[in-house]
Amino acid sequence: MQKNQGNTMNIKEELIEKWKKEGIVKDERLVNAFRKIKRENFILKDNLSRAYSDYPLPILGGQTISQPTTIITMIEALELKETDKVLEIGAGSGYNAALIASVCTKGIVYSTEIVEELVAFAKKNLKKEKITNVEVIHTDGSFGLREKSPFDKIISTCACPEIPEPWLDQLKSNGIIVAPVGPVHAQEMIQLRKIKGKIEMKTLGNFMFVPLKGRYGYE
Ligand code: SAH
């Protein structure tokens, strides 16, 4: 094994150990997806040495790839099943979608992205990892994606002033939405569940994300 490969594995295992200790991750399939997918394939060359640093990194178009701990917290909260059909708002680098797709091996991820150059970036990165159950779609995901709805799970990787109405409409019964909600500079991570037509919400802590653009984004 090459020396730097060994280092990468150690850094990954250290993160996994920390997440398990703090109760951030319980889903072993997600842990294995994190082990398998190379974050190096989703970031810019200049940041390669920081691939597993636990903070956000810049990608293209002034956007960021979230820090590993945040991504894992969000995906864990989706309570994924193998067969889930998932909608993502904000494909960015495609990394988040890659992790979800690796857990939902019999399902599919529709990942929307409003910035055109990031659509191409995400597609290219997903190809490097040979992931075939993610479709990256250039659209304003604040409208959801009506033609592929309803969804088992919806995840937003950008901050929303509130959960857009179309996402609620396009969520199946017993479905879950995970999204950072609040003002532009400080959001609470919301885990929303639709149970018998009713909405239940839980908060998972404070975070800061890049803002949702488009119709249901910030003024
Ligand atoms: N999930 C990404 C993180 C991307 S950051 C990853 O793993 O790398 C959030 C992304 O949301 C940005 O790429 C931004 O362009 C995108 N975005 C913002 N508003 C959007 C909208 N209305 N529809 C779709 N994507 C949007």
Side-chain angles (χ1 to χ4, degrees):
M1 188 184 292
Q2 284 173 1
K3 188 161 174 272
N4 60 356
Q5 250 178 341
N7 285 344
T8 297
M9 271 175 57
N10 289 342
I11 298 170
K12 279 190 171 183
E13 292 307 320
E14 275 167 26
L15 277 172
I16 292 167
E17 206 174 299
K18 176 172 164 272
W19 294 333
K20 285 189 172 171
K21 218 192 280 161
E22 293 173 11
I24 288 171
V25 72
K26 294 189 187 78
D27 187 344
E28 276 302 318
R29 300 165 308 169
L30 177 55
V31 170
N32 286 331
F34 177 73
R35 284 199 176 104
K36 188 182 83 180
I37 309 256
K38 291 196 183 75
R39 198 161 185 259
E40 297 90 316
N41 280 335
F42 296 83
I43 59 177
L44 302 177
K45 275 200 195 88
D46 291 351
N47 294 319
L48 274 180
S49 64
R50 296 188 285 160
Y52 294 96
S53 303
D54 205 13
Y55 45 76
L57 293 171
I59 46 175
L60 302 173
Q63 302 301 316
T64 54
I65 176 169
S66 306
Q67 74 184 83
T69 298
T70 304
I71 296 171
I72 296 295
T73 304
M74 292 179 80
I75 301 179
E76 179 79 23
L78 284 177
E79 300 178 13
L80 292 175
K81 295 200 179 78
E82 227 180 4
T83 51
D84 275 349
K85 178 165 69 163
V86 182
L87 173 68
E88 180 181 37
I89 294 85
S93 68
Y95 179 69
N96 195 43
L99 289 175
I100 296 171
S102 303
V103 176
C104 303
T105 46
K106 292 180 184 152
I108 182 155
V109 182
Y110 294 101
S111 186
T112 60
E113 176 53 59
I114 204 164
V115 175
E116 196 165 9
E117 68 174 325
L118 285 169
V119 174
F121 185 59
K123 283 187 179 168
K124 186 183 80 183
N125 298 339
L126 287 159
K127 214 170 177 178
K128 286 192 240 167
E129 282 287 328
K130 298 189 175 62
I131 295 197
T132 52
N133 56 336
V134 176
E135 251 183 61
V136 184
I137 299 150
H138 183 210
T139 190
D140 175 0
S142 79
F143 285 105
L145 194 64
R146 190 154 306 277
E147 63 270 31
K148 301 293 182 188
S149 68
F151 301 100
D152 297 292
K153 311 286 160 66
I154 299 177
I155 180 167
S156 172
T157 59
C158 26
C160 330
E162 52 190 56
I163 305 245
E165 206 54 47
W167 301 358
L168 294 170
D169 293 343
Q170 293 171 30
L171 185 69
K172 285 188 196 174
S173 186
N174 295 318
I176 295 177
I177 298 178
V178 174
V181 179
V184 176
H185 294 296
Q187 301 93 41
E188 264 186 317
M189 190 63 71
I190 300 288
Q191 183 197 43
L192 177 154
R193 234 178 258 269
K194 201 193 235 180
I195 302 172
K196 293 187 182 142
K198 282 203 181 139
I199 300 299
E200 278 181 12
M201 286 205 244
K202 214 166 112 177
T203 62
L204 306 174
N206 298 316
F207 293 85
M208 201 180 129
F209 276 73
V210 296
L212 179 71
K213 300 174 185 170
R215 166 70 177 79
Y216 293 88
Y218 297 86
E219 303 251 309

